Every structure is written in structure tokens, then in C-alpha cells.
Amino acid sequence: MAKFLITGANGQVGYCLTKQLQDKHEILAVDRDELDITDQSAVQNTVENFRPDVIINAAAHTAVDRAETEIELSEAINVKGSQYLAEAAKNVGAAILHISTDYVFDGQRKGKYKETDATDPQGVYGKTKLAGEQATAKANEKFIVLRTAWVFGEHGNNFVKTMLRLAKTRDTLGVVADQIGGPTYAGDIAAALIQIAEKIIAGEEVQYGIYHFTGEPYVSWCDFAKAIFDEAVSQNVLEKAPFVNAITTADYPTPAKRPANSCLDLTKIQQVFGIQPSDWKKALKNIQAYAE
């Protein structure tokens, strides 16, 4: 039985990691109340005392719009916190698995983004997440960065829950149609990270570095919303679907710029680890759980 330290345990992915690991391995699952990852000595003490085999960093400042003004907090959590965890992992010989984002790219290219493509984050969130990737890699050569996008799950706040909530009180909804990406089920992200971690623990030769993992097929937010409503109506979660009006990014201005293209190339993780894309349509079959 291996030892896992999971940060961000109350987040969407952290929750799934804790659930999936609790009967298989010894885990220490912490959220900000139990461990402030921006406190270097607290991180060092926790890691020294627990001595994990793997640290999975699922903690992040993910409020994309608030990050534009909460710059210091974003840097503290996304950069310094990541660095402290990676350093502490190295000190005890542990690997560090780190969750990152499509926001490290500018979102303007045609086609899918590969792990080797040039990064060019457009906002504070993307910039701090990229700096966190770099700090992690610099501090610990036994690192995996898993970039993902459009995360949803039964636990926490996400697009699926927001759509279901709005659908109960509105007949028409305007949803952005000119941003494309791969909705990704949090439980599948957790499973992918665990699969990689277990290879490391087993002593298999692992190709450390950056990997992309999202759901397929790629869709717009507008098409994703329609799929959510179709599933909800078919399972009687909603009596009827609201009319979805396709709008543009310009119609819905936000403090932080959103990527027009969030499509990540998933070839590498399939070839190296045999991990298949997240099946978001299958994950929506459990639509009852998102409506509770």
C-alpha cells in the first residue's frame, strides 16, 4: 500500500481522487483548512511527517476572472504553493503530479495544441498556472504535469450544474458558441492521475513531463449545454429544455479573456500510458447527481 498526499481535496478533482484512492492506498487528503500550501514550512513539515510516495497537487486558485485582480493570491497558490510541494516531494523522494490548464495557451491557433507547442497565456490565471508548471518541473525531476480543460463533476461548482440550475427558471439561455474545447469529467482526471501514479509506485520506467488530458468529442459551450439539457430531459431531471441561443464571446464580456480554442492533442498520453480521452457523454448519463 502506497502513500498519497492529495492537496485541494475539496475541489472537483481532489474529491474524486480521495474517493477513488481511499480503499486502495494510504492517503492524506488536505484542503486549505488543513494545509496552506503557500506556507513553505507547513508544507515541509506535513510532507516530512507523512512521507508520501506521491503528491498529487489538485489545489489551485481557479477563479479565472477574480484572478485578474487577486494577482498576489494567484501567484502564491498557483506558483509558490506548487513549488513548495514539488520541493518537499523531492526531499522525501516522492513524485509530484500537478494539474494544469489549457489557459497556458493563447487559444487562437487552428487545430489541437500539443504539449510541445509554444505557450502564451493571456491572463493572470494562465500566467500563474504556467509559472506553476515551470516551478514544479524545476524543483523535482520526478514530475507529471497534466493539462486539462472544462472540468465538471458531481462535486463542486461547474458548467453542468450552472446550466441545470438556470434551466429551472429560464425558458431561454444565451450560451457562447465560438469557444471550442473538450469537456472533462473530474472522475476521469482522477483515474488518469492514479493510473500514472501507480506505474511510478510499481517502479516502472515512467516518461516524466507534460501531458494533455481532456474529454472528446470537442464541442462549443453552446453544444455542450444542449447535450446537458437533452440528457436531463430524457431522464426527467428537467421537464423541458430551455431554448439555447448561440452567442459570441463578444456578447458576453468577462474580466479575463477566454481561449477560443481549448482543444488539446491527446496523442501523447494515449501512446505513453494507454489512457483514453474522457468520455463526457457517458459522464452525463449520471445527470441526476448534478441536479441534487
Side-chain angles (χ1 to χ4, degrees), residues 13 17 56 97 99 146 188-198:
V13 179
L17 282 164
I56 303 182
L97 276 56
I99 300 169
L146 195 76
D188 290 339
I189 299 171
L193 288 164
I194 292 167
Q195 188 173 328
I196 294 168
E198 287 182 336

Side-chain angles (χ1 to χ4, degrees), residues 99-118:
I99 300 169
S100 193
T101 172
D102 59 300
Y103 276 74
V104 301
F105 299 111
D106 65 6
Q108 296 305 307
R109 71 166 289 161
K110 298 284 183 277
K112 304 171 191 175
Y113 283 96
K114 288 186 164 68
E115 289 84 352
T116 50
D117 284 334

Side-chain angles (χ1 to χ4, degrees), residues 105-231:
F105 299 111
D106 65 6
Q108 296 305 307
R109 71 166 289 161
K110 298 284 183 277
K112 304 171 191 175
Y113 283 96
K114 288 186 164 68
E115 289 84 352
T116 50
D117 284 334
T119 51
D120 185 18
Q122 299 296 296
V124 172
Y125 171 65
K127 286 173 182 173
T128 57
K129 287 299 289 181
L130 178 60
E133 288 185 10
Q134 293 164 340
T136 299
K138 188 177 178 184
N140 191 337
E141 65 278 2
K142 289 168 63 176
F143 80 95
I144 297 285
V145 166
L146 195 76
R147 291 178 183 150
T148 189
W150 294 26
V151 181
F152 72 95
E154 298 89 348
H155 178 84
N157 297 316
N158 53 67
F159 183 78
V160 177
K161 290 187 174 187
T162 299
M163 288 298 104
L164 291 174
R165 187 177 70 249
L166 292 174
K168 289 176 181 174
T169 57
R170 298 193 197 176
D171 294 325
T172 305
L173 285 172
V175 184
V176 173
D178 60 356
Q179 295 170 20
I180 310 295
T184 316
Y185 177 53
D188 290 339
I189 299 171
L193 288 164
I194 292 167
Q195 188 173 328
I196 294 168
E198 287 182 336
K199 284 185 180 295
I200 294 168
I201 291 159
E204 294 182 30
E205 192 174 322
V206 169
Q207 189 179 323
Y208 290 103
I210 298 170
Y211 291 85
H212 289 169
F213 178 78
T214 66
E216 285 186 347
Y218 302 112
V219 286
S220 67
W221 287 112
C222 183
D223 288 336
F224 188 31
K226 289 176 182 175
I228 293 164
F229 297 142
D230 286 347
E231 194 60 53

Side-chain angles (χ1 to χ4, degrees), residues 7-8 30-32 35-40 42-43 57 59-60 76-78 80-85:
T7 62
V30 294
D31 210 69
R32 67 190 66 171
L35 176 63
D36 177 3
I37 66 168
T38 69
D39 182 337
Q40 189 173 18
V43 170
N57 182 21
I77 297 171
N78 294 344
K80 288 295 181 186
S82 302
Q83 177 189 330
Y84 299 154
L85 286 164

Side-chain angles (χ1 to χ4, degrees), residues 3 5 43-55 84-96 139-140 142:
K3 297 172 85 172
L5 171 62
V43 170
Q44 286 176 338
N45 290 337
T46 298
V47 174
E48 279 288 338
N49 290 334
F50 185 61
R51 303 193 76 80
D53 299 292
V54 174
I55 296 176
Y84 299 154
L85 286 164
E87 288 172 347
K90 183 175 173 65
N91 289 341
V92 297
I96 179 90
N140 191 337
K142 289 168 63 176

